Structures are given as C-alpha cells and as structure tokens.
Amino acid sequence: MSIKGVETRTRILREALGQVSKIGFEGLTLGPLADQLGLSKSGLFAHFGSREELQLAVLQLAAEDFRREVLEPAVHQSPRGLRRLLAILKRWFNRYPEGGCVFLAGSAEYDDRPGAMRDALADFHLQWRSALATALRQCQQLGELEPEVDVDQVAFELFAIAAGGHHDYRLYGKQAGGRVKAAVERLLRSCGAAPEKLIWK
Amino acid sequence: MSIKGVETRTRILREALGQVSKIGFEGLTLGPLADQLGLSKSGLFAHFGSREELQLAVLQLAAEDFRREVLEPAVHQSPRGLRRLLAILKRWFNRYPEGGCVFLAGSAEYDDRPGAMRDALADFHLQWRSALATALRQCQQLGELEPEVDVDQVAFELFAIAAGGHHDYRLYGKQAGGRVKAAVERLLRSCGAAPEKLIWK
DNA sequence: ACAAAAAACGACCGGTCGTGCTAAAACTGG
DNA sequence: CCAGTTTTAGCACGACCGGTCGTTTTTTGT
C-alpha cells in the first residue's frame, strides 16, 4: 500500500464515519460516499474488498476514537476513584448532544443479523463495560463506594442510563441531559458515594 | 371496505408486525411480505396507499397490543400502588426475551429521519412515559414512595433500564433479565420503597 | 341471479444497490 | 527517466426495491 493509498483510505474512513453517525451503518452506501469524496464508486470500492469490510473498518475507527477521546484523557488527567469515574461519564455523555452514537445505533441494526458486524459490536460493548467495571472497582478500593456492590451490575446500569439518555436526546433533544445527570447521581448515591463528591467538574 | 377487505388487511398487519419485530420497520419489504401471505405484491399494496402507510398501521397495531397486553391487565388485576407498578414492569420486561421491541428498534431507525413514523414513535414513548409517571404518582399518594421524588425522572430511569436490558437481551441473550430486576429494585429502593414490598409476583 | 363494487393479479417501470472486469492514470523505487 | 506497481475510472451486470396500471376474479347488496 503506497503513501497515497493509506491517505485516501483514512480520508474515506473519516468521511464514512461522519455519514454513519448520521444515517447508520446500513444507510452507508458506496455511491453517495464516493461522490462526497470526489471519487468514483469503483475506485473507492477497490480500497475494501466488500461493503462489510468498509463497515467493519469504520466501526474500528469509531472504537479507536472513543477510547482516545473518552477513556484515555480521563485516565491521564484524573486520579483513580470517583473523580476519574465522573470524568469518564462526563466525556461519554457529552458525545450524545453532538450526534448519534454509532455503537448504540449499530447494536440496533445488527442485533438480529449474525455476522462480523454483530460480533464486533458485541465485543466493543463488552470491553467498554469492563472498563467501567474497572473504574468502579477502583472506587471501591479507595472506600468511595461500598465494597459489597456488584460493579458489573452498576456498569450495566450506567450503560442503561446512557442508552436511555441517548434515546431521549435523539427523539426529544437536549432536555435529556438533566435526566442523565440526575440518574447517575441517584445510582452512585445508592452505592454509597458521598453526595459532596459527586461534582461534574 | 368489504368484510373480506378488513380481514385480509388485519391478516397483513399481523404478519407484518411479526416481520417487523424480527427485521425492523426498514427491513419490511412488500415482496417477501406478500409472498409469505400468498398474495401478489400489488394486491397487498392496494390495501395501503404507500409503504409508509403500511408501516404506520403496523406501529399503531403494535401500540394497541402493548397497551392491551401490558398496561390494561395490570390495571385490572392489581390495586393501585407498588403492586400495580411491579405488575406493569413485569409484563413489560417479559416481552423482551420473546423478540425485539418494535418501539425501541423503531426509535433507532427513525430518530434521524423526520416524518410521520418519527412523530408517531415519539408520541408513543411520551404516552408510555406518562402512564408510568401516573402509576408512580399513585405509589406516592399511598405513601409507598417518598413524596419528594420526581416521578418523571423515575419514569425516565425505568425506561432507561428497559432500553439497556433490551440491548443486552438482543446482544447477549437471556442473562440480562437478572440485571434488569436488580436495577429496578435498586431504583425503587432509592425512592423509599420498602424492600419487602418489592415482590415480582 | 345480476349488476356494481371491491379486491387481487401480473406485467412492467425507473431507480438504486453492491460488485466484477478492464483499461487508463498516477505513483513509486531504482 | 523509466519500468513496475498501485490506485482510480468507466462501464455493465444482476438483484431488489417501491410504485403504477389495466385486467381479471371475487365479493357484495338487492
């Protein structure tokens, strides 16, 4: 693969990711994508052996973006414990007003269609859930959350709040933000978090 | 419209609803639907002026089913308060192992596509949320939940649990049921519900 | 039983989709 | 600068889609 090869490939993937976050993976079609990039349909197609390969590459790019923009800055900038957990959640939920979440939309599109896309999506969610559980476990070790709570259960409930908030964001607009915040606070409070430590700085 | 007219129309809608719950509203296509029913595509098409009319009719049928199978039996069989609320939730969540929820799938499909389908879906979710809030308010009036809790907020959180549970059901299978139950119990507990009253009979 | 009305059919249209194939164009290393 | 490789374009295909239209069959009211 030449220099120009990887350049156009990433150009394609960036544009494709933008389109997917608006119209979903199934809405992504080669013709309009090629037009938007000033390429021919077959020229674009040659970079990936099939449409599914393109979709998988887009999903992988989205996953890399997500880790880089949500998890990594929170880990680097905030100390272990509630501070870091809240930093993660803030960066996570702040993505929703910006546009549709490709992981939630993707799950809805492929949950009844076995194949590589479904597998990759299931894997992403599993990894993310485990990252949340790790952050929660560190809170426990610091005594900021009660030791008897099931961190996997709490990770599920955080994800559920995200899913519900995303739904309301997409359907009813920005008013959903307050609901998400209040839900997280109630959840963490019920796990023994001190109210004065729940600051969304 | 003749007798036979409404008969086949409802036959079409029943079959269409079954297909939609498997492959979504956008996956519903006239040809295969007609084949499955032993009708010609154009014969089926004549019952609805357009595909969107068919989709809207399917959504309306699904909404009637939902009210009839979830809300109404709980209202008729359980007294106001936590008993009724839990009866509603049980019937609601029991639908998820059976097949995909057309309302959640529909929201994901149309949240970025203005039109009659999006409007109808937004309306359904609004109505359902309000029915949940009513049941919660009755709990408050009976002293089974603290009076200062925001019932609309709790209704959102119940919906979020449903959305998260549905996601996990579709992607990871039946193990999600326990997570949903535990999440509801934590939520209602944090609203002042007595633990011994949280029985999923 | 019969005429009007409704329902169902079958062929077809224009359009879009993913995908192969071949040739031209552009880039790359020596 | 040139040979060899890679990237891109052009074109066509087969499949599938929603929708139209004129005709035929079935149902309905009397």
Side-chain angles (χ1 to χ4, degrees):
Chain A
M1 211 157 37
S2 75
I3 303 260
K4 173 125 188 222
V6 302
E7 271 177 4
T8 41
R9 194 189 144 97
T10 60
R11 251 185 69 225
I12 293 171
L13 288 178
R14 276 273 156 241
E15 173 65 28
L17 178 53
Q19 295 198 7
V20 165
S21 71
K22 286 176 194 154
I23 52 179
F25 285 98
E26 283 308 289
L28 182 70
T29 53
L30 302 181
L33 177 59
D35 289 349
Q36 189 67 28
L37 289 159
L39 290 180
S40 72
K41 197 170 61 155
S42 58
L44 184 153
F45 183 78
H47 281 270
F48 314 86
S50 67
R51 188 167 90 118
E52 193 181 28
E53 285 296 325
L54 168 62
Q55 291 168 325
L56 284 167
V58 171
L59 180 58
Q60 191 189 335
L61 176 64
E64 288 164 9
D65 283 0
F66 189 85
R67 281 193 93 82
R68 177 159 17 88
E69 296 169 11
V70 176
L71 188 60
E72 289 180 9
V75 168
H76 286 33
Q77 293 166 19
S78 303
R80 276 190 185 79
L82 273 178
R83 293 268 298 276
R84 178 179 294 179
L85 178 66
L86 289 172
I88 293 172
L89 298 181
K90 188 187 170 190
R91 287 177 176 277
W92 184 11
F93 300 145
N94 270 349
R95 296 170 72 88
Y96 290 164
E98 313 263 333
C101 170
V102 299
F103 308 108
L104 288 171
S107 287
E109 293 183 81
Y110 294 102
D111 62 3
D112 50 8
R113 208 176 307 182
M117 282 298 288
R118 201 194 113 108
D119 295 345
L121 282 160
D123 196 60
F124 170 83
H125 285 291
L126 227 48
Q127 277 186 249
W128 179 238
R129 210 74 70 87
S130 134
L132 288 175
T134 297
L136 287 162
R137 211 171 289 114
Q138 291 169 349
C139 294
Q140 283 182 317
Q141 287 161 357
L142 292 169
E144 295 178 322
L145 290 182
E146 289 165 3
E148 59 264 22
V149 309
D150 178 350
V151 291
D152 291 312
Q153 172 70 26
V154 180
F156 164 76
E157 296 187 33
L158 285 172
F159 167 77
I161 292 169
H166 181 260
H167 176 276
D168 276 26
Y169 256 121
R170 301 289 295 168
L171 224 50
Y172 305 116
K174 315 236 165 188
Q175 68 207 57
R179 295 262 179 252
V180 168
K181 230 180 77 172
V184 170
E185 285 169 7
R186 184 207 308 283
L187 171 58
L188 295 183
R189 201 94 56 79
S190 85
C191 296
E196 69 271 16
K197 285 207 173 185
L198 295 180
I199 313 161
W200 298 81
K201 182 171 45 67
Chain B
M1 211 154 41
S2 74
I3 302 262
K4 173 118 190 234
V6 303
E7 269 178 4
T8 42
R9 193 190 145 96
T10 60
R11 250 186 69 225
I12 293 170
L13 288 178
R14 276 273 156 244
E15 173 64 28
L17 177 53
Q19 294 199 7
V20 165
S21 72
K22 286 177 193 151
I23 53 179
F25 285 99
E26 283 307 290
L28 182 69
T29 54
L30 302 180
L33 177 58
D35 289 348
Q36 189 67 29
L37 289 159
L39 292 178
S40 70
K41 196 172 63 157
S42 57
L44 184 154
F45 183 80
H47 281 270
F48 315 86
S50 68
R51 188 168 91 117
E52 192 181 28
E53 286 295 325
L54 168 63
Q55 291 167 322
L56 284 167
V58 170
L59 180 58
Q60 190 188 334
L61 176 64
E64 289 165 7
D65 282 1
F66 188 84
R67 281 193 94 81
R68 176 159 18 87
E69 295 169 11
V70 177
L71 188 60
E72 289 178 10
V75 168
H76 287 33
Q77 293 167 18
S78 303
R80 273 191 188 78
L82 273 179
R83 294 268 298 276
R84 178 178 296 178
L85 178 67
L86 289 171
I88 292 172
L89 298 181
K90 189 187 171 191
R91 287 176 177 277
W92 184 11
F93 299 145
N94 271 349
R95 297 171 69 90
Y96 289 165
E98 314 263 336
C101 170
V102 298
F103 308 108
L104 288 171
S107 288
E109 293 184 82
Y110 294 102
D111 62 3
D112 51 8
R113 208 176 308 183
M117 282 298 287
R118 203 194 113 109
D119 296 344
L121 281 161
D123 196 62
F124 170 83
H125 284 292
L126 228 48
Q127 276 184 249
W128 180 238
R129 210 73 69 86
S130 134
L132 288 175
T134 298
L136 287 162
R137 212 171 287 113
Q138 291 169 350
C139 294
Q140 284 182 317
Q141 287 160 359
L142 292 169
E144 294 179 323
L145 289 183
E146 289 166 3
E148 59 265 21
V149 311
D150 177 351
V151 291
D152 291 313
Q153 172 69 27
V154 180
F156 163 76
E157 295 187 33
L158 285 172
F159 167 76
I161 292 168
H166 181 261
H167 177 277
D168 277 25
Y169 257 121
R170 302 289 294 168
L171 224 49
Y172 304 115
K174 315 236 166 190
Q175 68 208 57
R179 295 262 179 251
V180 168
K181 230 180 75 173
V184 170
E185 284 168 9
R186 183 207 308 281
L187 171 58
L188 296 182
R189 199 96 55 81
S190 85
C191 296
E196 69 271 16
K197 287 207 171 184
L198 295 181
I199 313 162
W200 298 83
K201 184 175 44 65

PDB file of all heavy atoms in Angstrom, chain A residues 157-171:
ATOM      1  N   GLU A 157     -25.991  -0.630  34.752  1.00  0.00           N
ATOM      2  CA  GLU A 157     -26.950   0.452  34.989  1.00  0.00           C
ATOM      3  C   GLU A 157     -26.440   1.774  34.423  1.00  0.00           C
ATOM      4  O   GLU A 157     -27.227   2.587  33.923  1.00  0.00           O
ATOM      5  CB  GLU A 157     -27.257   0.568  36.487  1.00  0.00           C
ATOM      6  CG  GLU A 157     -27.948  -0.690  37.006  1.00  0.00           C
ATOM      7  CD  GLU A 157     -28.426  -0.571  38.450  1.00  0.00           C
ATOM      8  OE1 GLU A 157     -28.807   0.541  38.858  1.00  0.00           O
ATOM      9  OE2 GLU A 157     -28.421  -1.596  39.173  1.00  0.00           O
ATOM     10  N   LEU A 158     -25.136   1.997  34.478  1.00  0.00           N
ATOM     11  CA  LEU A 158     -24.588   3.195  33.839  1.00  0.00           C
ATOM     12  C   LEU A 158     -24.816   3.145  32.337  1.00  0.00           C
ATOM     13  O   LEU A 158     -25.209   4.140  31.716  1.00  0.00           O
ATOM     14  CB  LEU A 158     -23.084   3.313  34.140  1.00  0.00           C
ATOM     15  CG  LEU A 158     -22.726   3.770  35.550  1.00  0.00           C
ATOM     16  CD1 LEU A 158     -21.220   3.660  35.784  1.00  0.00           C
ATOM     17  CD2 LEU A 158     -23.202   5.197  35.792  1.00  0.00           C
ATOM     18  N   PHE A 159     -24.586   1.973  31.768  1.00  0.00           N
ATOM     19  CA  PHE A 159     -24.840   1.827  30.336  1.00  0.00           C
ATOM     20  C   PHE A 159     -26.313   2.047  30.008  1.00  0.00           C
ATOM     21  O   PHE A 159     -26.663   2.695  29.012  1.00  0.00           O
ATOM     22  CB  PHE A 159     -24.407   0.445  29.855  1.00  0.00           C
ATOM     23  CG  PHE A 159     -24.905   0.122  28.490  1.00  0.00           C
ATOM     24  CD1 PHE A 159     -24.307   0.674  27.372  1.00  0.00           C
ATOM     25  CD2 PHE A 159     -26.009  -0.710  28.316  1.00  0.00           C
ATOM     26  CE1 PHE A 159     -24.783   0.403  26.107  1.00  0.00           C
ATOM     27  CE2 PHE A 159     -26.489  -0.992  27.052  1.00  0.00           C
ATOM     28  CZ  PHE A 159     -25.881  -0.426  25.942  1.00  0.00           C
ATOM     29  N   ALA A 160     -27.190   1.536  30.869  1.00  0.00           N
ATOM     30  CA  ALA A 160     -28.625   1.717  30.631  1.00  0.00           C
ATOM     31  C   ALA A 160     -28.987   3.200  30.649  1.00  0.00           C
ATOM     32  O   ALA A 160     -29.760   3.673  29.801  1.00  0.00           O
ATOM     33  CB  ALA A 160     -29.423   0.956  31.695  1.00  0.00           C
ATOM     34  N   ILE A 161     -28.432   3.934  31.592  1.00  0.00           N
ATOM     35  CA  ILE A 161     -28.692   5.377  31.638  1.00  0.00           C
ATOM     36  C   ILE A 161     -28.221   6.026  30.336  1.00  0.00           C
ATOM     37  O   ILE A 161     -28.897   6.886  29.761  1.00  0.00           O
ATOM     38  CB  ILE A 161     -27.994   6.009  32.858  1.00  0.00           C
ATOM     39  CG1 ILE A 161     -28.660   5.530  34.150  1.00  0.00           C
ATOM     40  CG2 ILE A 161     -28.036   7.531  32.767  1.00  0.00           C
ATOM     41  CD1 ILE A 161     -27.883   5.877  35.408  1.00  0.00           C
ATOM     42  N   ALA A 162     -27.059   5.590  29.868  1.00  0.00           N
ATOM     43  CA  ALA A 162     -26.553   6.139  28.604  1.00  0.00           C
ATOM     44  C   ALA A 162     -27.499   5.809  27.455  1.00  0.00           C
ATOM     45  O   ALA A 162     -27.820   6.673  26.628  1.00  0.00           O
ATOM     46  CB  ALA A 162     -25.161   5.586  28.318  1.00  0.00           C
ATOM     47  N   ALA A 163     -27.970   4.564  27.416  1.00  0.00           N
ATOM     48  CA  ALA A 163     -28.865   4.164  26.334  1.00  0.00           C
ATOM     49  C   ALA A 163     -30.171   4.945  26.395  1.00  0.00           C
ATOM     50  O   ALA A 163     -30.665   5.438  25.367  1.00  0.00           O
ATOM     51  CB  ALA A 163     -29.132   2.656  26.413  1.00  0.00           C
ATOM     52  N   GLY A 164     -30.739   5.066  27.580  1.00  0.00           N
ATOM     53  CA  GLY A 164     -31.974   5.834  27.723  1.00  0.00           C
ATOM     54  C   GLY A 164     -31.767   7.297  27.389  1.00  0.00           C
ATOM     55  O   GLY A 164     -32.596   7.915  26.714  1.00  0.00           O
ATOM     56  N   GLY A 165     -30.655   7.849  27.858  1.00  0.00           N
ATOM     57  CA  GLY A 165     -30.367   9.250  27.559  1.00  0.00           C
ATOM     58  C   GLY A 165     -30.158   9.468  26.071  1.00  0.00           C
ATOM     59  O   GLY A 165     -30.654  10.454  25.505  1.00  0.00           O
ATOM     60  N   HIS A 166     -29.438   8.572  25.447  1.00  0.00           N
ATOM     61  CA  HIS A 166     -29.223   8.685  24.003  1.00  0.00           C
ATOM     62  C   HIS A 166     -30.555   8.665  23.267  1.00  0.00           C
ATOM     63  O   HIS A 166     -30.800   9.484  22.365  1.00  0.00           O
ATOM     64  CB  HIS A 166     -28.343   7.527  23.526  1.00  0.00           C
ATOM     65  CG  HIS A 166     -28.036   7.547  22.061  1.00  0.00           C
ATOM     66  ND1 HIS A 166     -28.710   6.776  21.150  1.00  0.00           N
ATOM     67  CD2 HIS A 166     -27.141   8.269  21.348  1.00  0.00           C
ATOM     68  CE1 HIS A 166     -28.240   7.009  19.941  1.00  0.00           C
ATOM     69  NE2 HIS A 166     -27.283   7.914  20.026  1.00  0.00           N
ATOM     70  N   HIS A 167     -31.419   7.765  23.646  1.00  0.00           N
ATOM     71  CA  HIS A 167     -32.743   7.673  23.030  1.00  0.00           C
ATOM     72  C   HIS A 167     -33.482   9.006  23.144  1.00  0.00           C
ATOM     73  O   HIS A 167     -33.997   9.542  22.153  1.00  0.00           O
ATOM     74  CB  HIS A 167     -33.538   6.568  23.719  1.00  0.00           C
ATOM     75  CG  HIS A 167     -34.944   6.436  23.226  1.00  0.00           C
ATOM     76  ND1 HIS A 167     -35.983   7.222  23.697  1.00  0.00           N
ATOM     77  CD2 HIS A 167     -35.497   5.621  22.307  1.00  0.00           C
ATOM     78  CE1 HIS A 167     -37.096   6.877  23.070  1.00  0.00           C
ATOM     79  NE2 HIS A 167     -36.835   5.915  22.233  1.00  0.00           N
ATOM     80  N   ASP A 168     -33.514   9.559  24.356  1.00  0.00           N
ATOM     81  CA  ASP A 168     -34.253  10.809  24.551  1.00  0.00           C
ATOM     82  C   ASP A 168     -33.573  11.973  23.832  1.00  0.00           C
ATOM     83  O   ASP A 168     -34.250  12.850  23.287  1.00  0.00           O
ATOM     84  CB  ASP A 168     -34.389  11.105  26.045  1.00  0.00           C
ATOM     85  CG  ASP A 168     -35.571  10.355  26.646  1.00  0.00           C
ATOM     86  OD1 ASP A 168     -35.932   9.304  26.097  1.00  0.00           O
ATOM     87  OD2 ASP A 168     -36.130  10.827  27.654  1.00  0.00           O
ATOM     88  N   TYR A 169     -32.269  11.976  23.833  1.00  0.00           N
ATOM     89  CA  TYR A 169     -31.550  13.018  23.097  1.00  0.00           C
ATOM     90  C   TYR A 169     -31.965  13.010  21.635  1.00  0.00           C
ATOM     91  O   TYR A 169     -32.273  14.032  21.037  1.00  0.00           O
ATOM     92  CB  TYR A 169     -30.037  12.799  23.170  1.00  0.00           C
ATOM     93  CG  TYR A 169     -29.338  13.737  24.114  1.00  0.00           C
ATOM     94  CD1 TYR A 169     -28.611  13.241  25.188  1.00  0.00           C
ATOM     95  CD2 TYR A 169     -29.395  15.119  23.930  1.00  0.00           C
ATOM     96  CE1 TYR A 169     -27.967  14.092  26.057  1.00  0.00           C
ATOM     97  CE2 TYR A 169     -28.754  15.971  24.788  1.00  0.00           C
ATOM     98  CZ  TYR A 169     -28.037  15.456  25.861  1.00  0.00           C
ATOM     99  OH  TYR A 169     -27.405  16.296  26.714  1.00  0.00           O
ATOM    100  N   ARG A 170     -31.964  11.839  21.049  1.00  0.00           N
ATOM    101  CA  ARG A 170     -32.248  11.736  19.625  1.00  0.00           C
ATOM    102  C   ARG A 170     -33.701  12.058  19.308  1.00  0.00           C
ATOM    103  O   ARG A 170     -34.011  12.554  18.243  1.00  0.00           O
ATOM    104  CB  ARG A 170     -31.934  10.312  19.142  1.00  0.00           C
ATOM    105  CG  ARG A 170     -30.506   9.896  19.373  1.00  0.00           C
ATOM    106  CD  ARG A 170     -29.540  10.598  18.468  1.00  0.00           C
ATOM    107  NE  ARG A 170     -29.740  10.260  17.064  1.00  0.00           N
ATOM    108  CZ  ARG A 170     -29.174  10.914  16.059  1.00  0.00           C
ATOM    109  NH1 ARG A 170     -28.391  11.951  16.306  1.00  0.00           N
ATOM    110  NH2 ARG A 170     -29.391  10.567  14.827  1.00  0.00           N
ATOM    111  N   LEU A 171     -34.593  11.745  20.252  1.00  0.00           N
ATOM    112  CA  LEU A 171     -36.020  11.886  19.956  1.00  0.00           C
ATOM    113  C   LEU A 171     -36.580  13.213  20.460  1.00  0.00           C
ATOM    114  O   LEU A 171     -37.490  13.776  19.835  1.00  0.00           O
ATOM    115  CB  LEU A 171     -36.785  10.718  20.586  1.00  0.00           C
ATOM    116  CG  LEU A 171     -37.860  10.042  19.732  1.00  0.00           C
ATOM    117  CD1 LEU A 171     -37.330   9.686  18.362  1.00  0.00           C
ATOM    118  CD2 LEU A 171     -38.399   8.815  20.437  1.00  0.00           C
TER     119      LEU A 171
END
